[in-house]
Amino acid sequence: MPATDYQGSFLGRISIRRNQVMAMEGSHDQEVEDLELFQKHVGDRFNDLLASPTEDGNEPLLSIAWLRRLVDMFLCCEAEFKAVLLMGRDPCQISKPPLDRLVPEFLERVVKSLDICNAVSLGIESVRNFQKLAEIAVSALEHRPIGDGQIRRAKKALNSLITAMTVEDKDPSNTKSAERSWSFGRRSAAPNKERASGQFRSLSWSMAKGWSAAKQIHAMSSNLTAPRGAEASGLAMPVFIMSNAFVFVMWALVAAIPCQERNGLATHFPVPRQLPWAQPMIGLHEKIAEDWKKKEKKGSPGLLFEMQRLEKLGQSLIEFADSFQFPAEAERLQELKEQVEELADICGKMEEDLAPLQQQIREVFHRIVRSRTEILDVFEQAGKLSSSTV
């Protein structure tokens, strides 16, 4: 069943069940079944992502198309998580231990993810610039007959492309303003209601000079401890699952898309392997982490599949340009034609998928802002109910 289909079925099931008057002895069994179904859906979605790079060559791991599937999967999981946590539930249930501690910690991760969403959106703008430079080279190298003028124009664009990717990957702040407007106010120790229209403003197109994507991911992954004992069969588990989904998705986006200060991006993922839903998540993490270690060792410009292809083709075409002599041999021209066609194909896919990916990132931003506000509302209701019973 497609993700959106069983998401709709799952949400409908919870809505109907919690609006029915049920016998108390049956409600606990239904609750456990809902939690198990949520875990299964998360595991199934990550399994699909783990399988797709090998089964479908059109969506390699960390390609733009694959990242779009990742974000779509995350949005489905987030909708189901919110239903499990909030839909038709007594507010007092999530204001008691251990949720009175776990939910505020989860909301802190939500806040940190907002900065990452904006950093990724900014990184996508950089990738668009790389695409434009590659398109200049394609335009020049497709010209027939090809001469010294076209070669010089293409070489200049390709040199700019390789330099831009290297500079952007090492320190994007070198090419952008260091000023920014924060998307949220300072958090107090206890969860307080903050309206999306006020405290949560979309960031300006720049990040603070000292902001670090690697440190932000590290902060999100700290204090992640799996529930034990009776807590493992209650609402603490979906909070733990969704916290890990947040960390993984944001980590994968940062690894793929140029973001400010990625050096030292953590490659350890503290999820117990025995949890069924965790296996595909860990499998994906290990694949990406291995590539990241190679990337840091070689100093190549990031893990986005299309960027890696641009780098490889760009360097090869620069070598061709350096050794070009007019008239070129037929064999060399055929080799050039094949590489230019591949470069044009990559540019076409980037043109098609970058804007939708950026729109999905914005949707994630606004979705989690709304969800955070709704959870804070429930905390506020629980506080009022507690006060009225005293």
Side-chain angles (χ1 to χ4, degrees):
M1 184 183 293
T4 51
D5 288 348
Y6 61 56
Q7 178 199 9
S9 174
F10 179 75
L11 297 179
R13 166 198 171 94
I14 291 182
S15 177
I16 292 170
R17 183 178 65 74
R18 292 187 182 163
N19 281 293
Q20 290 175 337
V21 178
M22 298 187 309
M24 289 301 295
E25 59 269 21
S27 61
H28 177 70
D29 292 341
Q30 290 287 347
E31 180 91 350
V32 171
E33 189 176 339
D34 287 344
L35 296 179
E36 290 177 350
L37 195 56
F38 172 68
Q39 295 185 57
K40 182 181 184 301
H41 285 181
V42 172
D44 288 347
R45 290 185 178 117
F46 274 97
N47 260 322
D48 290 343
L49 287 170
L50 182 61
S52 61
T54 56
E55 292 179 358
D56 185 354
N58 293 322
E59 290 186 4
L61 187 67
L62 295 186
S63 64
I64 300 170
W66 188 88
L67 290 175
R68 289 187 61 193
R69 289 189 60 199
L70 173 73
V71 174
D72 184 61
M73 176 277 300
F74 173 80
L75 288 170
C76 289
C77 290
E78 196 275 341
E80 290 190 8
F81 165 74
K82 190 169 63 174
V84 168
L85 187 68
L86 299 181
M87 191 179 289
R89 190 176 296 283
D90 181 352
C92 293
Q93 286 184 269
I94 69 167
S95 63
K96 296 177 181 178
L99 295 181
D100 61 337
R101 172 181 56 85
L102 295 177
V103 172
E105 288 178 357
F106 171 78
L107 295 179
E108 288 290 344
R109 294 184 183 96
V110 169
V111 168
K112 290 178 173 62
S113 70
L114 295 176
D115 263 352
I116 294 174
C117 286
N118 282 279
V120 169
S121 280
L122 183 58
I124 291 173
E125 288 298 315
S126 298
V127 177
R128 286 174 181 270
N129 292 332
F130 305 154
Q131 172 198 335
K132 299 305 179 186
L133 289 169
E135 287 173 346
I136 293 172
V138 168
S139 175
L141 295 174
E142 284 181 336
H143 188 274
R144 293 294 181 271
I146 190 167
D148 290 336
Q150 288 79 28
I151 292 294
R152 285 195 299 270
R153 182 167 178 251
K155 183 180 177 181
K156 181 179 179 182
L158 292 170
N159 278 325
S160 296
L161 169 65
I162 300 299
T163 300
M165 284 198 292
T166 303
V167 170
E168 186 71 20
D169 198 58
K170 287 182 177 178
D171 185 7
S173 64
N174 285 339
T175 57
K176 299 177 181 68
S177 167
E179 298 299 322
R180 64 170 284 184
S181 300
W182 289 94
S183 60
F184 50 88
R186 291 186 177 181
R187 294 276 294 124
S188 59
N192 294 316
K193 186 176 178 181
E194 296 173 9
R195 290 296 180 185
S197 60
Q199 296 295 339
F200 288 95
R201 301 185 305 275
S202 180
L203 299 190
S204 60
W205 289 107
S206 55
M207 302 300 291
K209 187 173 183 179
W211 188 85
S212 165
K215 290 180 180 178
Q216 200 82 335
I217 294 293
H218 177 75
M220 287 184 67
S221 61
S222 63
N223 300 323
L224 265 177
T225 305
R228 296 181 179 180
E231 292 181 3
S233 60
L235 287 176
M237 182 55 77
V239 173
F240 177 70
I241 294 172
M242 200 62 211
S243 291
N244 279 284
F246 258 98
V247 172
F248 175 82
V249 171
M250 297 301 157
W251 175 83
L253 288 170
V254 167
I257 306 292
C259 288
Q260 184 171 313
E261 191 52 55
R262 296 189 292 177
N263 291 333
L265 187 64
T267 54
H268 175 63
F269 200 51
V271 183
R273 290 180 176 272
Q274 68 271 21
L275 298 173
W277 57 267
Q279 290 295 324
M281 191 184 295
I282 293 171
L284 282 169
H285 183 274
E286 289 177 344
K287 284 187 175 185
I288 297 171
E290 188 62 31
D291 288 343
W292 181 262
K293 290 175 183 176
K294 294 176 183 177
K295 177 264 172 194
E296 285 201 313
K297 187 175 182 180
K298 294 191 305 180
S300 58
L303 297 185
L304 185 67
F305 175 79
E306 286 79 5
M307 281 183 59
Q308 294 187 69
R309 295 303 301 153
L310 287 185
E311 180 193 23
K312 184 175 181 179
L313 288 168
Q315 290 175 342
S316 177
L317 289 169
I318 288 172
E319 291 175 5
F320 174 88
D322 287 338
S323 61
F324 176 79
Q325 290 183 343
F326 184 82
E329 298 175 359
E331 184 177 342
R332 299 283 321 266
L333 286 176
Q334 180 59 32
E335 181 183 345
L336 172 66
K337 179 176 180 293
E338 292 172 357
Q339 292 188 345
V340 171
E341 285 177 351
E342 184 177 354
L343 189 62
D345 182 61
I346 293 171
C347 289
K349 290 179 178 177
M350 294 172 77
E351 180 68 27
E352 181 180 347
D353 286 333
L354 277 175
L357 174 61
Q358 191 171 49
Q359 184 60 40
Q360 283 177 293
I361 299 298
R362 289 170 180 162
E363 183 180 351
V364 169
F365 182 98
H366 292 295
R367 170 83 71 82
I368 60 182
V369 164
R370 289 195 299 270
S371 295
R372 181 177 181 275
T373 301
E374 290 172 24
I375 294 172
L376 289 172
D377 281 341
V378 174
F379 267 102
E380 184 176 287
Q381 292 171 31
K384 291 178 179 178
L385 290 172
S386 299
S387 299
S388 63
T389 57
V390 174

